[in-house]
């Protein structure tokens, strides 16, 4: 039983809107260094999303919305109509920064709808437009935290006291505006004074589980044992020495198709297959902004392929022979039939019932 509960009273922020710039905690430097990037242009925001200084589906949605604010700030000296055109143009580039997480497109499109409404306000000058876009982006940020809290509440019962839970990648405060999705569910269970142990998979090749999830869990005082990805099968079968039985696997998602097929960090599909073999429930925790009802099934989800250096190097250190062939998809799709339930801010549904939440 935990002696003191800390429900993610984080001493850090993932990103935030400031008057001089967007401040971003550079996740490439974690856990060794808390380096803040001050981003002032849409191009630099696109760069930060692509190089994964900021990452995780909901967080890059917020980053996209903040990128629109930077565009409007940068063009505020233009004639009003030209300002609106310039922001619309930048929005096209921002929404393409990474292809799989639909939260990015969702947030940019929400900002463009706000811009369209503002453009109809003849009495609004450029300063009014910038200010209103800042409000909208901040609302997306604030709503994301509230949504993560609701996901935590909706899912906490799937983790019984005395059990262990396997997760992958990083789905915590760092992957969202705050609190997290799958990690938010774990935080909410922990806040209920449940005794539990988290088993984060290290998540090759970028090691978000080893570097980021452990860092967050350590700060909250939530017990965990890190495993490498290829240990998952034996841990599901035998459990961990001294830890409670594996109650479930909970993962996040970058895009959920209308039929419930879910794209998430590479390796998630392997965990789902292993969970089925071992009779362990497998859950996806994600906000409804991650559900793409226009995408019929997982085969329609674009999967990002990233640079081969993520595989051939550990940080700056080469670990393979030079000039080898590498396959490096950043995500895989878990078919709906392997998913026990999808935990959203509107409750836990089976993949077949996801459409009932469309709204
Ligand atoms: O490539 P990343 O680190 O951006 O991938 C992140 C993930 O796959 C997360 O599991 C997903 O975005 C859900 S996070 C709330």
């Amino acid at each position: 039983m935990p002696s003191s509960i800390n429900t993610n009273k984080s001493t850090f922020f993932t990103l935030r809107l400031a008057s001089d710039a967007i401040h971003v905690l550079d996740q490439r430097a974690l856990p060794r260094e808390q380096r803040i990037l001050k981003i002032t242009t849409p191009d630099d925001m696109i760069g930060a999303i692509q190089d994964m200084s900021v990452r995780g589906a909901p967080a890059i949605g917020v980053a996209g919305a903040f990128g629109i604010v930077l565009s409007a700030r940068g063009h505020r000296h233009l004639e009003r109509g030209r300002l609106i055109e310039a922001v619309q143009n930048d929005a096209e580039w921002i929404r393409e920064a990474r292809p799989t997480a639909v939260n990015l497109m969702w947030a940019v499109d929400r900002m463009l709808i706000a811009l369209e409404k503002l453009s109809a306000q003849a009495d609004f000058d450029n300063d009014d437009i910038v200010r209103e876009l800042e409000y909208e982006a901040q609302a997306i940020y604030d709503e994301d935290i509230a949504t993560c809290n609701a996901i935590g509440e909706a899912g906490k019962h799937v983790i019984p006291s005395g059990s262990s839970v396997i997760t992958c990648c990083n789905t915590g405060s760092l992957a969202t505006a705050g609190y997290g999705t799958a990690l938010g569910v774990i935080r909410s269970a922990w806040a209920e004074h449940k005794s539990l142990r988290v088993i984060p998979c290290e998540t090759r090749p970028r090691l978000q589980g080893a570097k980021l999830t452990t860092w967050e869990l350590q700060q909250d005082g939530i017990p965990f044992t890190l495993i490498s990805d290829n240990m998952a099968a034996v841990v599901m079968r035998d459990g961990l020495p001294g830890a409670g039985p594996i109650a479930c696997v909970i993962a996040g998602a970058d895009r959920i198709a209308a039929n419930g097929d879910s794209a998430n960090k590479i390796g998630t599909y392997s965990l789902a297959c292993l969970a089925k073999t071992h009779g362990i429930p497998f859950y996806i925790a994600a906000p409804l902004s991650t559900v793409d009802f226009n995408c019929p099934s997982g085969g329609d989800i674009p999967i990002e392929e990233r640079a081969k250096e993520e595989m051939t190097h550990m940080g700056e250190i080469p670990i393979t022979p030079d000039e080898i062939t590498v396959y490096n998809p950043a995500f895989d799709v878990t078919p709906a039939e392997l998913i026990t339930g999808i935990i959203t801010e509107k409750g836990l549904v089976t993949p077949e019932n996801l459409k009932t939440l469309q709204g």
Side-chain angles (χ1 to χ4, degrees):
M1 187 73 78
S3 55
S4 70
I5 300 293
N6 176 351
T7 51
N8 184 220
K9 296 183 187 75
S10 306
T11 52
F12 65 89
F13 61 86
T14 305
L15 72 172
R16 72 177 171 208
L17 178 64
S19 54
D20 62 331
I22 307 302
H23 297 191
V24 169
L25 177 61
D26 186 351
Q27 297 191 33
R28 297 168 306 169
L30 291 174
R32 300 282 153 219
E33 189 192 340
Q34 290 189 48
R35 181 196 300 155
I36 305 298
L37 306 174
K38 294 194 174 179
I39 296 177
T40 54
T41 68
D43 276 359
D44 285 349
M45 184 57 90
I46 290 169
I49 294 170
Q50 289 177 335
D51 69 20
M52 293 174 64
S53 304
V54 57
R55 48 140 301 280
I60 66 173
V62 174
F66 286 170
I68 299 293
V69 169
L70 292 177
S71 172
R73 284 179 180 173
H75 296 301
R76 77 196 312 161
H77 61 282
L78 294 176
E79 178 275 320
R80 192 172 176 278
R82 300 275 310 279
L83 161 81
I84 289 164
E85 266 175 38
V87 175
Q88 287 167 336
N89 186 47
D90 284 343
E92 287 309 308
W93 293 106
I94 295 169
R95 74 198 299 289
E96 286 174 18
R98 289 188 76 188
T100 304
V102 75
N103 307 63
L104 175 60
M105 299 82 190
W106 171 87
V108 170
D109 289 346
R110 182 166 152 180
M111 293 297 288
L112 287 176
I113 290 168
L115 180 66
E116 202 177 316
K117 286 186 188 147
L118 292 168
S119 67
Q121 299 275 350
D123 54 335
F124 272 26
D125 66 16
N126 287 4
D127 286 342
D128 295 325
I129 290 174
V130 171
R131 188 195 60 238
E132 293 297 321
L133 288 176
E134 287 172 348
Y135 286 161
E136 186 69 6
Q138 187 61 41
I140 290 173
Y141 179 100
D142 293 340
E143 286 168 26
D144 187 52
I145 296 175
T147 297
C148 286
N149 280 304
I151 291 170
E153 282 301 303
K156 63 189 182 188
H157 67 275
V158 307
I159 307 175
S161 195
S163 69
S164 303
V165 51
I166 294 179
T167 189
C168 64
C169 196
N170 171 267
T171 60
S173 292
L174 292 166
T176 60
Y179 203 67
T181 56
L183 208 54
V185 171
I186 292 166
R187 284 193 160 112
S188 293
W190 177 250
E192 299 246 297
H193 298 262
K194 289 181 182 175
S195 155
L196 58 91
R197 177 161 294 269
V198 185
I199 305 175
C201 298
E202 63 176 351
T203 319
R204 275 281 289 154
R206 288 192 69 107
L207 301 172
Q208 292 94 328
K211 291 180 173 177
L212 306 177
T213 301
T214 57
W215 187 69
E216 287 200 41
L217 289 168
Q218 195 169 54
Q219 290 185 51
D220 277 12
I222 302 176
F224 65 89
T225 303
L226 176 68
I227 61 168
S228 64
D229 303 320
N230 51 4
M231 294 173 190
V234 72
V235 169
M236 283 192 203
R237 191 190 61 192
D238 300 345
L240 282 179
I246 314 291
C248 57
V249 178
I250 313 181
D254 287 78
R255 191 184 299 226
I256 302 174
N259 71 345
D261 293 351
S262 298
N264 190 51
K265 181 51 52 193
I266 190 73
T268 306
Y269 173 43
S270 309
L271 289 176
C273 293
L274 292 172
K276 183 182 168 72
T277 298
H278 295 93
I280 294 170
F282 178 93
Y283 295 99
I284 291 287
L288 287 170
S289 55
T290 302
V291 183
D292 185 351
F293 286 106
N294 295 319
C295 188
S297 70
D300 304 298
I301 299 176
I303 299 295
E304 176 183 12
E305 280 191 44
R306 293 191 59 88
K308 72 175 190 178
E309 286 72 22
E310 290 186 350
M311 301 278 292
T312 59
H313 288 61
M314 278 280 188
E316 300 295 307
I317 303 167
I319 56 168
T320 65
D322 294 337
E323 307 302 330
I324 65 164
T325 303
V326 162
Y327 178 48
N328 184 21
F331 303 97
D332 57 29
V333 175
T334 299
E337 60 265 25
L338 295 181
I339 300 172
T340 310
I342 300 176
I343 306 165
T344 76
E345 67 272 30
K346 287 194 183 168
L348 192 162
V349 291
T350 58
E352 309 84 71
N353 286 332
L354 185 61
K355 284 193 178 132
T356 62
L357 302 183
Q358 188 169 12

